[in-house]
Amino acid sequence: MDTRRRPTKPPRTTSSQDGVGHHLHQKRLPPSIDNRSPSPTPKASDALPLPLYLTNAIFFTLFFSVAYYLLHRWREKIRNSTPLHVVTFPEIAAIVSLMASFIYLLCFFGIDFVQSFITRSSHDAWELEGSDNPNFLINKDHRLVTCPTPANIAPVPKSPNPDPVITPSASVEDEEIVKSVTEGTLPSYSLEAKLGDCKRAAKIRREALQRTTGRSLEGLPIEGFDYDSILGQCCEMPVGYVQIPVGVAGPLMLNGMEFMVPMATTEGCLVASTNRGCKAIYASGGASSVLYADGMTRAPVVRFETAKRASELKLFLEAPDNSDTLSIVFNRSSRFGRLQGIQCAMAGKNLYIRFKCSTGDAMGMNMVSKGVQNVLDFLQTDFPDMEVIGLSGNYCSDKKPAAVNWIGGRGKSVVCEAIIKEEIVKKVLKTSVASLVELNMLKNLAGSAIAGSLGGFNAHASNIVSAIFIATGQDPAQNVESSNCITMMEAVNDGKDLHVSVTMPSIEVGTVGGWNTTRISVCLPELTWCQGCEQRVSWLQLRALGQYSGWFSVSWGALSNGCHCTRAACQESHEIQQIEQRYIPSCIFREKGVVQQ
């Protein structure tokens, strides 16, 4: 690192056992240790005869005064029919002053750039701003240490000798950046923009966090992850990543096609039991599904002075004559978002406007929000007294249990059904058709009603939806409304076979946008469909994703879990499954071939 602008100090020899003096990396010395006056750092503004703020004030005043004078003179010439090219000496001086002040103001915005270029001409691009004393101290210890705990705070127990993320061989520049973050002079969120290296920024932020909290992050992985892929996409200020195992269930026969579906979960036996339900469905000829509605919603809340004015806007929005105009305004922000309808609800003088639109292959929250903003701006012309309180008034309703989603739907609305043959129920599920029908009525329907459940008339569809969402890059928080599900079972074919169905009105998924574009192809039929194909295939992807997300609540929640409960052996079945997985011979797949255990 270039230290030409720093005061030099003579080399200090250490009193270590080897007795050999050597130079070590430098650190800043607090002002209380060295009171010598530092050499001033040259600035581009030092070349000005007056302080920068006075120079700026003079040129700003000159610019606007001369401009006003010239405009006033030219107006007089136009009124008196005097040629504009005939100028007097004061006018020539004014024109020259105008050009000079304009050039100065134009260059003024480049002074900061020139100053930063001069002061950071060396490789050290991280001198702390506002430092009163840029002196440096030679320190013999290269290792990163934890900041001391303040005296008035109880010490926090730490892991013994945690390995620092920045190794002893790390540059002094990284050490200075870590110190800047811990001292609060450099915001942690700006590291990626300052460094231009996302992985290095994560390491520095991680080390600063360890020093600030006094706790080790040794167990949190940081290597082996592409931090550039999440920049500006889905996670800010990363310090590592969490490893979640991904299992595969299937094949699932759905609408005549086979699906191998990944599930990311930490719950034991979930994938195995889901696979068991898929086996029963596959052996019975597969399942069928219908996507009967598709539309994302956003509901802003606006306020008026009176309830009468709010009702006038409600009537205007719901009038059929205005639907075409509103659709044109809404649709102009996206070539995929298309307004489907508007539903309004009043609460006093407050109006909640629920927009619903198609969003193509995307989940569409941002898309519908932009369209809503277009309509709100358009309405300000005829309703200038309308006050927009929030772009979302929770009437959407996003990531919260709500009857409006359960009744009206949100995202993809799916119905799936299958007929499980009697012999499959007995052989694979180890129970009977009558027992499953009775259990579904007493547990999923009556039991959920007694509990006052909202959209929870199922065993636990959220288990499967969450696992699929995490594995395919969806938003896990939208599991709340996406798990709205009602499971129905009845005996058919003279009571021999089992007809089972699930209805899920609000599955929120997408194959483009966010981070799911890099991982979505692994969960599609035959592992071949990918984002970026033609529109027809892309739509099939999205429909399939919504449909099998819903259907898996049949294969696990309705079938596998149901047969466990009918035998009153939920815990026992989990234990048996674990024993089977532990002791039955299995294959371990490695990079070079298959090795038998």
Side-chain angles (χ1 to χ4, degrees), residues 102 107 182 206 352 404 461 473 526:
F102 175 77
C107 297
T182 56
R206 178 189 179 106
Y352 297 83
V404 68
E526 302 175 351

Side-chain angles (χ1 to χ4, degrees), residues 102-155:
F102 175 77
I103 293 173
Y104 171 81
L105 293 176
L106 183 64
C107 297
F108 168 72
F109 295 100
I111 288 180
D112 285 340
F113 171 77
V114 175
Q115 178 175 320
S116 63
F117 178 77
I118 294 175
T119 57
R120 297 186 180 182
S121 58
S122 68
H123 296 290
D124 185 9
W126 289 98
E127 292 195 55
L128 299 182
E129 297 181 1
S131 177
D132 296 332
N133 191 345
N135 292 316
F136 291 84
L137 172 67
I138 297 178
N139 192 299
K140 65 180 181 179
D141 192 359
H142 280 250
R143 295 172 299 173
L144 299 181
V145 295
T146 304
C147 293
T149 305
N152 58 344
I153 301 179

Side-chain angles (χ1 to χ4, degrees), residues 116-431:
S116 63
F117 178 77
I118 294 175
T119 57
R120 297 186 180 182
S121 58
S122 68
H123 296 290
D124 185 9
W126 289 98
E127 292 195 55
L128 299 182
E129 297 181 1
S131 177
D132 296 332
N133 191 345
N135 292 316
F136 291 84
L137 172 67
I138 297 178
N139 192 299
K140 65 180 181 179
D141 192 359
H142 280 250
R143 295 172 299 173
L144 299 181
V145 295
T146 304
C147 293
T149 305
N152 58 344
I153 301 179
V156 181
K158 306 173 228 181
S159 302
N161 299 327
D163 294 333
V165 175
I166 301 178
T167 61
S169 60
S171 66
V172 181
E173 180 181 357
D174 286 351
E175 170 66 13
E176 292 296 328
I177 302 173
V178 172
K179 291 174 61 178
S180 300
V181 175
T182 56
E183 294 170 1
T185 58
L186 177 64
S188 177
Y189 63 81
S190 65
L191 287 176
E192 281 80 4
K194 293 287 186 181
L195 295 173
D197 187 340
C198 294
K199 184 175 181 180
R200 181 184 173 200
K203 290 183 177 181
I204 292 175
R205 182 182 297 111
R206 178 189 179 106
E207 178 62 24
L209 178 63
Q210 290 184 136
R211 296 188 184 190
T212 303
T213 61
R215 294 181 179 272
S216 172
L217 298 179
E218 183 180 0
L220 182 67
I222 190 170
E223 298 292 342
F225 188 84
D226 183 10
Y227 293 93
D228 292 327
S229 65
I230 64 174
L231 180 63
Q233 292 291 328
C234 58
C235 183
E236 298 78 26
M237 302 198 300
V239 294
Y241 63 96
V242 176
Q243 295 175 321
I244 302 179
V246 179
V248 178
L252 173 66
M253 180 69 72
L254 179 62
N255 292 338
M257 305 182 70
E258 293 186 7
F259 291 77
M260 297 297 298
V261 183
M263 300 172 62
T265 180
T266 57
E267 179 177 342
C269 301
L270 177 61
V271 179
S273 298
T274 304
N275 192 65
R276 183 185 187 189
C278 292
K279 178 181 179 181
I281 295 171
Y282 191 94
S284 299
S288 61
S289 62
V290 176
L291 183 68
Y292 66 88
D294 183 4
M296 183 51 62
T297 62
R298 174 62 82 195
V301 52
V302 299
R303 181 170 59 193
F304 291 86
E305 292 295 330
T306 63
K308 180 180 179 181
R309 286 290 290 165
S311 64
E312 291 175 358
L313 177 58
K314 180 178 185 296
L315 295 176
F316 176 84
L317 293 173
E318 294 179 346
D321 295 340
N322 300 324
S323 60
D324 292 340
T325 302
L326 295 174
S327 296
I328 293 174
V329 175
F330 184 96
N331 299 342
R332 68 187 180 190
S333 62
S334 173
R335 58 195 179 101
F336 298 106
R338 294 294 178 264
L339 183 64
Q340 297 178 349
I342 301 176
Q343 179 183 0
C344 298
M346 288 185 59
K349 59 182 182 179
N350 303 308
L351 182 65
Y352 297 83
I353 312 169
R354 192 172 192 256
F355 294 81
K356 187 174 185 179
C357 79
S358 59
T359 57
D361 290 353
M363 187 270 292
M365 289 298 301
N366 294 332
M367 189 184 301
V368 66
S369 297
K370 293 178 181 178
V372 168
Q373 187 63 57
N374 293 339
V375 175
L376 294 177
D377 295 340
F378 171 77
L379 294 176
Q380 290 285 357
T381 304
D382 295 329
F383 298 89
D385 54 337
M386 179 184 70
E387 180 185 2
V388 179
I389 304 301
L391 194 60
S392 175
N394 276 1
Y395 185 45
C396 312
S397 172
D398 186 39
K399 302 173 183 177
K400 291 168 285 292
V404 68
N405 293 335
W406 174 240
I407 297 173
R410 189 170 194 255
K412 318 300 176 189
S413 300
V414 180
V415 175
C416 305
E417 64 179 350
I419 295 179
I420 311 301
K421 298 179 181 179
E422 181 181 22
E423 57 269 22
I424 301 301
V425 173
K426 293 181 179 180
K427 182 178 179 180
V428 178
L429 303 180
K430 311 297 183 182
T431 185

Side-chain angles (χ1 to χ4, degrees), residues 11-25:
R12 186 178 70 179
T13 57
T14 62
S15 57
S16 58
Q17 294 179 359
D18 57 5
V20 179
H22 55 280
H23 294 281
L24 297 176
H25 76 281

